[in-house]
Amino acid sequence: MTNPGTKLRVEDKLYQNRYLVDSGRPHIKVRPHKQPSANLLALTRVCPAKCYELNDKGQVEITADGCMECGTCRILCETSGEIEWNYPRGGFGVLFKFG
């Protein structure tokens, strides 16, 4: 139980989840791009698990470990073809502690 005066951060709640990594088989891939679109750049800010980031070359990369499979990236970028998204294989991916 938390103290009413203490604020619980999203990161603290995300820490409760577990993730079983499927090594070498990420369920999301960012397709090669010369310059990221506005939507692809937005993923670096709106992904709740912070899976997307800009590399030193100005391209968006993903680390799918810890992905919550919420679908935000699918809504923003799948129809444009900038990402390739599949469900993780059975037994892999996010394991929610509280449902």
Side-chain angles (χ1 to χ4, degrees), residues 4-46:
T6 307
K7 291 195 178 211
L8 193 59
R9 300 175 322 149
V10 170
E11 290 82 5
D12 296 329
K13 289 189 176 246
L14 290 175
Y15 180 75
Q16 300 295 319
N17 298 329
R18 296 292 174 254
Y19 193 87
L20 188 56
V21 177
D22 193 359
S23 296
R25 295 183 69 168
H27 70 285
I28 305 172
K29 295 177 185 175
V30 176
R31 295 218 169 101
H33 54 281
K34 292 181 181 180
Q35 186 172 3
S37 69
N39 282 356
L40 202 50
L41 279 174
L43 289 179
T44 64
R45 296 183 307 276
V46 300

Side-chain angles (χ1 to χ4, degrees), residues 31-97:
R31 295 218 169 101
H33 54 281
K34 292 181 181 180
Q35 186 172 3
S37 69
N39 282 356
L40 202 50
L41 279 174
L43 289 179
T44 64
R45 296 183 307 276
V46 300
C47 174
K50 310 264 189 259
C51 293
Y52 295 86
E53 60 183 27
L54 278 176
N55 66 18
D56 57 351
K57 296 177 184 174
Q59 296 188 334
V60 175
E61 293 181 330
I62 182 167
T63 304
D65 304 358
C67 173
M68 296 175 14
E69 302 167 31
C70 67
T72 300
C73 58
R74 291 181 75 186
I75 292 168
L76 283 175
C77 295
E78 189 177 38
T79 56
S80 66
E82 295 172 289
I83 66 166
E84 180 182 329
W85 197 100
N86 295 292
Y87 285 102
R89 286 190 309 152
F92 292 95
V94 68
L95 306 167
F96 293 105
K97 183 173 183 178

